[in-house]
Amino acid sequence: MTGTLPAGGPRATQRTRGERVFGAFNATFLVLLCLGMLYPFITVLAQSFSSSGAIKAGKVNFLPVDFNVDTYIAVMSNDIFWRNYGNSVLYTVVGTAIAMTLTTTYAFVLSKPHLKGRKVLIGIAVFTMFFNGGLVPNYVLISSLGMKNTMWALVLPGAISVFNLLVMKAFFENLPKELEEAAQIDGLGWYGIFGRIVLPLSKAVIATMVLFYSVAFWNDWFAAFLYLDKSELFPITLFLRNLIAGASTTASEGAAAAGSTTAQVSANIQAVTMILTVIPILCVYPFVQRYFVSGVMLGSVKG
């Protein structure tokens, strides 16, 4: 009879006592797990606003002790700090744009089984995952190409991550072939198929790769340490690295008296460094988080 409930309908949707207990245990465990993962960040944030003595005594946990902003003032009052911060933004944006352009086009080409020389191109990419020229040859190469003390020394050598390339290749291989065939019937060429069909269907994996590349470019300081000699070209990560090294040296030599501003800076500068460095990534991540899991899973499993 239409509209009647199945036998035991109302009770069928009720949770048993075991299910309720498991649900409560599961929720409690996940909350504790989240707190455990947030604890280090909260502690570092509290230390960045705490006094030198409180940090050394181990009194800082979730809340700042003897609140102060001396370190923030010391770092952010430097004009070079803002210039280097802008450099990091520029290097990250340009590097990510170049990396995404090369990765998407290369992966799209590799995803075509009928391509002649496809296995050779895949082999060339995979070879670089296991073998590297080394630090000295790379330095000689960058210098001989005239890229030293330029932005290109930072963004071009890491323009393609083979791991990201293979993930995106697998994603493109899973796209329905019928869409490309229909587009070809309608008169679209390969560039049209790639730009108007493939890319709009790949938002999840593209957002994931953008996150991967942007984090890598933002956090990288070693390449700048090798190839940049001018302080006005430094990224913010190298500026803060040098600030930590200078503060640590000052503290170890006893040049700063206890309670002075320099001593205060040297005591919690690592916490301030972490906070200032992670802020941009924290601002970007919420916009791509919803694509993150689906992008990685869709690109890592071939159907």
Side-chain angles (χ1 to χ4, degrees):
M1 182 177 179
T2 305
T4 59
L5 293 173
R11 293 188 177 183
T13 60
Q14 294 181 358
R15 300 173 62 189
T16 64
R17 181 179 179 182
E19 290 175 338
R20 291 195 299 269
V21 171
F22 174 77
F25 173 80
N26 194 30
T28 303
F29 174 76
L30 291 177
V31 169
L32 293 176
L33 181 63
C34 291
L35 290 177
M37 298 178 66
L38 287 174
Y39 175 75
F41 177 76
I42 296 175
T43 301
V44 170
L45 181 62
Q47 287 180 349
S48 69
F49 290 103
S50 300
S51 66
S52 170
I55 296 174
K56 292 179 179 179
K59 298 179 180 179
V60 182
N61 289 307
F62 287 100
L63 298 175
V65 179
D66 299 332
F67 185 87
N68 84 92
V69 292
D70 291 341
T71 306
Y72 281 101
I73 294 174
V75 173
M76 300 178 68
S77 61
N78 193 330
D79 293 336
I80 298 180
F81 169 82
W82 293 109
R83 182 180 300 176
N84 293 162
Y85 217 100
N87 290 340
S88 281
V89 174
L90 176 64
Y91 300 158
T92 301
V93 172
V94 174
T96 302
I98 293 175
M100 289 303 301
T101 300
L102 296 178
T103 302
T104 53
T105 52
Y106 196 0
F108 181 68
V109 168
L110 296 182
S111 67
K112 302 305 169 189
H114 62 271
L115 177 70
K116 293 182 179 180
R118 174 174 176 266
K119 292 184 178 180
V120 176
L121 293 175
I122 295 176
I124 292 174
V126 174
F127 180 84
T128 62
M129 292 182 69
F130 305 101
F131 299 96
N132 188 284
L135 185 61
V136 174
N138 283 336
Y139 183 85
V140 173
L141 176 64
I142 295 298
S143 300
S144 62
L145 292 176
M147 293 194 297
K148 191 176 180 182
N149 284 319
T150 67
M151 173 180 61
W152 310 116
L154 308 184
V155 302
L156 291 183
I160 294 183
S161 167
V162 180
F163 172 80
N164 295 345
L165 174 69
L166 296 178
V167 170
M168 188 164 285
K169 165 185 166 294
F171 179 87
F172 288 157
E173 289 175 342
N174 287 331
L175 292 177
K177 302 296 186 294
E178 293 79 8
L179 292 175
E180 293 184 4
E181 295 173 357
Q184 288 176 332
I185 293 175
D186 290 339
L188 282 180
W190 286 113
Y191 291 102
I193 293 174
F194 178 69
R196 300 176 63 177
I197 304 297
V198 174
L199 291 183
L201 294 175
S202 308
K203 291 180 181 179
V205 72
I206 288 176
T208 303
M209 296 304 133
V210 166
L211 179 63
F212 285 169
Y213 277 120
S214 60
V215 170
F217 281 115
W218 181 265
N219 289 334
D220 184 29
W221 64 270
F222 189 66
F225 181 75
L226 289 177
Y227 304 125
L228 300 182
D229 297 328
K230 301 177 181 179
S231 60
E232 61 269 18
L233 297 176
F234 288 172
I236 189 59
T237 48
L238 182 57
F239 171 85
L240 294 174
R241 178 263 173 195
N242 293 339
L243 199 61
I244 291 174
S248 300
T249 301
T250 300
S252 64
E253 294 176 352
S260 67
T261 301
T262 306
Q264 182 82 339
V265 168
S266 64
N268 64 346
I269 193 171
Q270 292 186 3
V272 173
T273 299
M274 295 177 189
I275 296 300
L276 292 176
T277 303
V278 80
I279 283 176
I281 301 302
L282 289 179
C283 294
V284 172
Y285 184 78
F287 296 98
V288 297
Q289 186 270 341
R290 62 191 179 117
Y291 299 108
F292 185 77
V293 175
S294 59
V296 172
M297 293 303 295
L298 288 173
S300 60
V301 180
K302 183 177 180 180

